[in-house]
Amino acid sequence: VAASAASVVGGQNQQRNRNMLRAHSSFPFCGYCFAGNWSQASRTRTRTFPELAGTSLYVFTASNPFRVFLYNVVTAKPFDYCMFFIILLNCIAMAYEYPHMSKATLDGLVLYWA
């Protein structure tokens, strides 16, 4: 009797979880949250960026090769990883720095020029 009661409660919990996920799927951006199947969402997710339009600095048109090159660099996935790495290094440097740090020592020079 106890085993069948546990299976009923377990079945109710599973059904409630399924209902919550079904209700949650109507929210916008559901594929980007942790409530759904994250591995499936990461495989199907695509990055979209707006098209170049107008001028930049009133000099570079949308078809300017330099502007197109920079746009391609900034919208590339490795650029995101590089920025994340630089931010991570900055956080480490800020955590390492301490008051009254001498610029004469190697660590002080590295942090001063970094």
Side-chain angles (χ1 to χ4, degrees):
V1 174
S4 65
S7 65
V8 168
V9 171
Q12 290 173 348
N13 286 340
Q14 289 175 352
Q15 183 63 35
R16 183 177 42 171
N17 289 342
R18 274 192 233 110
N19 289 340
M20 287 174 60
L21 286 176
R22 226 179 270 124
H24 180 74
S25 65
S26 63
F27 290 142
F29 308 112
C30 180
Y32 295 99
C33 66
F34 292 107
N37 187 351
W38 182 254
S39 61
Q40 180 182 0
S42 65
R43 275 186 264 142
T44 59
R45 184 174 43 203
T46 59
R47 294 167 37 123
T48 58
F49 297 101
E51 293 293 323
L52 288 174
T55 60
S56 178
L57 301 174
Y58 301 105
V59 176
F60 302 112
T61 62
S63 61
N64 186 294
F66 180 67
R67 184 175 176 198
V68 171
F69 170 74
L70 289 180
Y71 181 79
N72 290 335
V73 168
V74 170
T75 56
K77 192 66 174 169
F79 183 79
D80 291 343
Y81 292 128
C82 289
M83 288 295 111
F84 179 71
F85 182 69
I86 290 170
I87 291 169
L88 183 67
L89 287 179
N90 187 24
C91 291
I92 292 169
M94 287 191 310
Y96 183 73
E97 193 174 14
Y98 54 90
H100 310 295
M101 181 179 248
S102 173
K103 291 181 187 166
T105 61
L106 179 63
D107 57 350
L109 285 172
V110 168
L111 288 175
Y112 179 75
W113 289 106

